[in-house]
Amino acid sequence: MITYNVDGVKMPKIKKRETNTWIKTVTADHGKKVGEIGYMFVNDEKILECNRQYLGHDYYTDVITFDYDNEDVINGDIVISLDTIRTNAEKFDKAYDDELHRIIIHGVLHLCGINDKGPGEREIMEANENRALKMLDDLRNK
């Protein structure tokens, strides 16, 4: 089950049924199944608070993924700052919705075991994000 909640922001305009199908397609592509995934959309202040409290980091970020995986079933909470999504969309000259979907799937890819902090990992993550976004386009064009 995939849930979407907000704290201090308005719910972003995402098509939940389509997004759920997409997430399940991407996880299946990585040999996983969806268990429980909880999205929490927040503002910059809330994600900074989460970063400090749970990770000991004192900086803003676009997404924090809490992984509760159980082998091939992915479970986790994904906290997304809509403020940072908006800032990054402007900074990288991307549409807000495109950046939002990139970060929605970024958290899922972390749950699938893909990292982005070590040498060469960022490029692997970006390739997987791009592949997942193509899957969303294909799903929409059926």
Side-chain angles (χ1 to χ4, degrees), residues 69-125:
D69 283 1
N70 183 6
E71 296 185 25
D72 290 339
V73 179
I74 64 168
N75 298 284
D77 290 320
I78 301 171
V79 182
I80 296 176
S81 171
L82 297 180
D83 293 339
T84 301
I85 298 278
R86 190 169 290 103
T87 300
N88 286 347
E90 291 170 7
K91 180 178 176 181
F92 299 116
D93 197 28
K94 301 284 183 188
Y96 173 80
D97 286 344
D98 292 345
E99 188 65 16
L100 176 61
H101 283 94
R102 178 176 296 279
I103 297 308
I104 285 172
I105 210 63
H106 182 96
V108 170
L109 292 169
H110 275 307
L111 296 177
C112 288
I114 299 169
N115 296 312
D116 60 355
K117 299 294 184 208
E121 290 179 340
R122 182 69 211 146
E123 293 78 10
I124 293 168
M125 176 61 85

